[in-house]
Amino acid sequence: METKERGDRSNPLASANLFSRLFLCWLTPLLHLGHKRQLNENDMYNVLPEDRSESLGEDLQRFWAQEVRRATKELQDPKLAWVLIKAYGKSYALAGLHVFSLEAIKVVQPLLLGKIIEYFENYHQEDLGSLYMVYGYAAAMSISSFALIILQHLYYYQVLRIGMRIRVAMCHMIYKKALRLSSESMGQTTIGQIVNLLSNDVNRFDEITLNLHYLWVGPLQALVIIVFLWYEIGPSCLTGVAVIALMMPVQTWFGKLFGIFRSKTAALADSRIRIMNEVVSGIRIIKMYAWEKPLSALITEVRRKEIHQILKSSYLRGLNMASFFASSKITVFATFTVYALLGNAITASSVFVTVSLYGTIKLTVTLFFPLAIEKLSETVVSVHRIKNFLMLEEVERKTFGVHLEEMNENSVEIEKLTCYWDKSLDSPSLQNISVTVKSHQLLAVIGPVGAGKSSLLSAILGELPHDTGSMTVKGQLTYASQQPWVFPGTIRSNILFGRELNRKKYEKVLRACALKRGETL
C-alpha cells in the first residue's frame, strides 16, 4: 500500500471537488503519510500544469513584451509593476474578498460577545425572549469562529500560491534573459547580481502578497471600528484612536527606511556573491600564491558591511514589533482613563467589546498595515532591480538561410564597420573594418593580443553591436568558442548533447578528438 502511494504522484488538486477544495481535504493522504513516516521528494505531488514554470514564464513574458512595445512607441520606460498587475491582478483581487470577509467577521465577533455579556448583566429568569436571543448570538459566535478558520486558511493558501506563481514566472524570465545577454550587457551586470535576483529579490513576491490587501482593508476596518466604538463608549474612543493615529506616521516612516536598507543590502550582497564566485573559480591560483588571508579579509569586510545593513533592518523591525505590543496597552489605558474621568460607569460589556475592537484594530493598523508598507517598499526595490536587468541589451538573433543559387557569392561582406564594447571608452574595438569572405574560402585572422580578432567574430555573430558601417552574412554559421567546457555527465552525453546516437558519426568524433586509447592527433 505504501509503495503504491509513493508511486502515484499525480496531484489530487486537479480532480478535487468543491468540498475538498474548501476544506483542503485533498491534502489528507499526504498528511496521513507524513504522520506514518518522514516524507521525501518522491512523496511530493506533481506540479499542476498551470503552475509550471514554462507556462507561467511564457505568459508573463508575453505581457512584458507587450509593455516594452507600448513603452517604446510612447517613448517611456516600461513598468514591470504594471505588467504584474495585468497578469495577476484579477486573481489577487478575488483573494481580497477573502480578507475582506475575514476582517468583517473580526469586527462582528466583539459585538456578539458584548450582547452575550450584556444579557448576563441584565439577567432575568422570566425573560425567555432575551434567552432565545442570546442563544442566537452564541450560535452566530460559533458559526463566525468556524467561518473565520476556513476563510483564513483559504486566504493564505490563495495569496501564497499567487506569490509562488509570480516568483516562478520571474525566475523563468530572469533565466531566459541571462541566456540572451549580449557581451556588452554582461559588462553591465555580474554573476553575483543575477544569483541575488534569483535567490533574494524574487522571494519578495511571496512576502508582499500576504499583506498587500491590508493597505486598503486596514483604513476601512479602522473607520468602521471607530464608528462602533463611538456607539459603545462615546467620545472617549477618540483618545485611543489618537494614540493609534500617532503610530501610523511612525510606521510609514519605518516602511520607507526598510526600503532604503533593502536597496543597500542588495547592492552589498551582489558584491559579496561576485567576489565569492571569483574566489571559487580561481581557488587553485589563490592556493598556489598563498592569497588566502588577504582574500579572506576582503570577504570578511564585505560581509561585515552587509551584516551592518541587515542589523539596521533588524533593529528597525524590533522597534516596529515593540510599538505593536506597547500600543495596545497604551490605547486601552488612555481610553478608559478618559472614559472614567468623564463620569461614565465602566461595565463588563463595554470593557470586553472595547478591548476586543481595539485588539482587532491593533492587529490590522499597527501590525498588518505597517508590514504591508514595509514589504511594499522592499518589493519596489526588487522590482526596479529586476526591471533594470530585463532591460539590458540582448544578442541580435539572426536567421541565416542557405541559398543554393547564391553559393558562389560572398558569404560575409563587411564595409567600414566600427564597433564599441563600451561607448564610454574613447577607442573603438573595431574601426573602419572592411572584409569580404567568399564561399568555400578559408580566411585566417591573425594579430597580437587585443588587436580585435575576437571582436570581429563577435560582430559577425551579432554579439557586438554596430555603431557605423554595414555587414551582410549569408549561409549557415558554425562557431567554436576558444573557451572549451564540459557539463557533468559521460563523454557520450557531452558529444551527443541530447541527440540520438549515430554510431558511425560518434566513432568519427572520438577519433577526431583522440579520445580512444592509443590514438593521438
Side-chain angles (χ1 to χ4, degrees):
M1 181 67 180
E2 189 171 313
T3 306
K4 183 179 179 182
E5 287 178 322
R6 269 203 297 267
D8 184 14
R9 298 180 62 188
S10 59
N11 198 318
L13 180 60
S15 57
N17 54 36
L18 180 61
F19 180 84
S20 179
R21 289 173 182 268
L22 184 62
F23 295 98
L24 304 179
C25 296
W26 57 274
L27 274 174
T28 303
L30 184 65
L31 297 176
H32 180 65
L33 184 61
H35 177 70
K36 293 194 296 183
R37 60 171 176 81
Q38 187 175 1
L39 296 175
N40 54 52
E41 186 179 354
N42 294 328
D43 299 320
M44 298 297 104
Y45 298 133
N46 288 330
V47 179
L48 292 175
E50 60 267 25
D51 290 338
R52 295 185 180 275
S53 62
E54 184 177 3
S55 59
L56 292 174
E58 289 177 355
D59 291 342
L60 190 60
Q61 182 67 52
R62 186 172 62 254
F63 282 108
W64 173 246
Q66 294 173 359
E67 175 65 15
V68 171
R69 286 195 296 268
R70 182 202 64 79
T72 304
K73 187 183 298 183
E74 299 178 5
L75 300 178
Q76 297 176 350
D77 287 334
K79 299 177 181 178
L80 182 58
W82 179 242
V83 171
L84 294 174
I85 291 172
K86 287 199 295 185
Y88 300 99
K90 187 179 295 184
S91 58
Y92 191 68
L94 291 175
L97 296 176
H98 288 97
V99 71
F100 179 79
S101 304
L102 195 69
E103 298 304 323
I105 291 175
K106 289 181 180 179
V107 174
V108 171
Q109 279 187 330
L111 303 179
L112 295 174
L113 179 63
K115 292 295 183 181
I116 295 173
I117 296 174
E118 188 178 341
Y119 167 77
F120 288 103
E121 285 179 341
N122 306 313
Y123 177 72
H124 294 289
Q125 189 174 2
E126 296 81 9
D127 191 0
L128 295 178
S130 298
L131 179 62
Y132 294 144
M133 286 294 295
V134 82
Y135 280 156
Y137 293 141
M141 191 81 175
S142 302
I143 294 172
S144 64
S145 298
F146 182 73
L148 193 66
I149 296 173
I150 299 298
L151 287 172
Q152 190 167 14
H153 285 84
L154 287 177
Y155 169 70
Y156 280 113
Y157 170 73
Q158 292 293 337
V159 295
L160 284 173
R161 186 181 181 189
I162 293 171
M164 176 271 295
R165 299 181 75 179
I166 298 175
R167 171 171 50 82
V168 170
M170 276 296 178
C171 288
H172 183 277
M173 287 181 62
I174 294 171
Y175 175 73
K176 291 293 185 182
K177 182 69 177 184
L179 297 179
R180 298 195 301 264
L181 287 179
S182 65
S183 300
E184 182 183 10
S185 298
M186 287 300 295
Q188 300 175 19
T189 186
T190 61
I191 299 297
Q193 183 187 16
I194 298 174
V195 171
N196 202 16
L197 290 176
L198 290 169
S199 60
N200 290 326
D201 288 280
V202 295
N203 291 334
R204 305 299 163 194
F205 298 111
D206 288 311
E207 299 171 356
I208 186 63
T209 52
L210 272 176
N211 302 294
L212 188 60
H213 277 303
Y214 283 97
L215 288 176
W216 65 272
V217 171
L220 181 62
Q221 187 188 54
L223 183 63
V224 173
I225 287 178
I226 290 171
V227 172
F228 284 129
L229 285 172
W230 185 281
Y231 174 77
E232 189 68 33
I233 58 175
S236 303
C237 70
L238 296 179
T239 307
V241 172
V243 175
I244 295 174
L246 288 174
M247 294 298 300
M248 292 188 68
V250 177
Q251 302 287 355
T252 305
W253 179 62
F254 280 176
K256 291 181 179 179
L257 287 180
F258 277 119
I260 295 172
F261 291 155
R262 169 61 194 157
S263 60
K264 292 181 179 179
T265 304
L268 291 170
D270 290 346
S271 176
R272 174 179 57 82
I273 296 173
R274 176 181 58 81
I275 293 173
M276 285 302 302
N277 283 332
E278 292 175 356
V279 168
V280 172
S281 60
I283 192 65
R284 290 185 178 179
I285 303 298
I286 293 171
K287 299 296 288 185
M288 185 183 299
Y289 288 97
W291 288 343
E292 296 95 333
K293 290 186 178 180
L295 286 170
S296 176
L298 176 63
I299 294 170
T300 302
E301 178 63 18
V302 174
R303 183 61 177 162
R304 185 191 64 79
K305 293 180 180 178
E306 184 181 354
I307 291 176
H308 181 65
Q309 292 297 330
I310 294 173
L311 279 175
K312 284 185 179 180
S313 297
S314 299
Y315 291 147
L316 196 64
R317 192 168 286 110
L319 288 173
N320 199 9
M321 293 302 296
S323 64
F324 162 68
F325 288 111
S327 61
S328 60
K329 307 298 185 294
I330 297 172
T331 301
V332 174
F333 173 75
T335 299
F336 282 103
T337 300
V338 174
Y339 186 70
L341 290 175
L342 291 177
N344 298 303
I346 299 177
T347 61
S349 59
S350 62
V351 171
F352 273 97
V353 172
T354 303
V355 171
S356 299
L357 288 174
Y358 272 138
T360 302
I361 198 174
K362 175 197 71 173
L363 279 173
T364 304
V365 176
T366 62
L367 180 64
F368 296 143
F369 185 79
L371 203 59
I373 296 177
E374 172 192 337
K375 299 304 179 183
L376 181 62
S377 301
E378 294 181 351
T379 306
V380 167
V381 174
S382 297
V383 168
H384 183 68
R385 283 164 50 82
I386 294 173
K387 188 203 77 171
N388 290 339
F389 178 76
L390 294 177
M391 289 302 295
L392 293 176
E393 292 292 331
E394 301 179 5
V395 175
E396 185 180 355
R397 302 294 178 185
K398 294 183 178 180
T399 303
F400 303 102
V402 181
H403 305 282
L404 297 177
E405 66 276 7
E406 299 177 357
M407 286 301 289
N408 294 324
E409 295 187 2
N410 300 330
S411 294
V412 179
E413 295 180 1
I414 301 176
E415 185 176 357
K416 296 181 180 180
L417 187 67
T418 300
C419 302
Y420 292 85
W421 283 115
D422 189 351
K423 274 224 167 186
S424 61
L425 302 177
D426 295 331
S427 59
S429 302
L430 298 174
Q431 186 173 14
N432 201 23
I433 301 295
S434 296
V435 177
T436 300
V437 183
K438 296 183 178 297
S439 300
H440 302 287
Q441 179 185 5
L442 176 63
L443 178 66
V445 181
I446 61 174
V449 176
K453 304 183 296 296
S454 299
S455 298
L456 178 62
L457 293 177
S458 297
I460 295 173
L461 288 171
E463 293 189 359
L464 181 59
H466 306 163
D467 188 61
T468 59
S470 62
M471 183 179 69
T472 304
V473 180
K474 299 176 183 177
Q476 288 182 321
L477 271 183
T478 302
Y479 174 69
S481 173
Q482 60 186 353
Q483 298 175 341
W485 59 274
V486 294
F487 63 86
T490 62
I491 294 176
R492 176 180 293 185
S493 62
N494 273 274
I495 293 175
L496 297 179
F497 215 71
R499 296 185 177 180
E500 294 184 3
L501 175 63
N502 185 332
R503 179 60 63 178
K504 289 185 177 180
K505 190 174 181 180
Y506 179 68
E507 293 290 336
K508 187 177 179 181
V509 172
L510 289 179
R511 288 193 298 271
C513 298
L515 291 175
K516 287 199 169 186
R517 293 184 179 181
E519 293 186 6
T520 58
L521 288 174

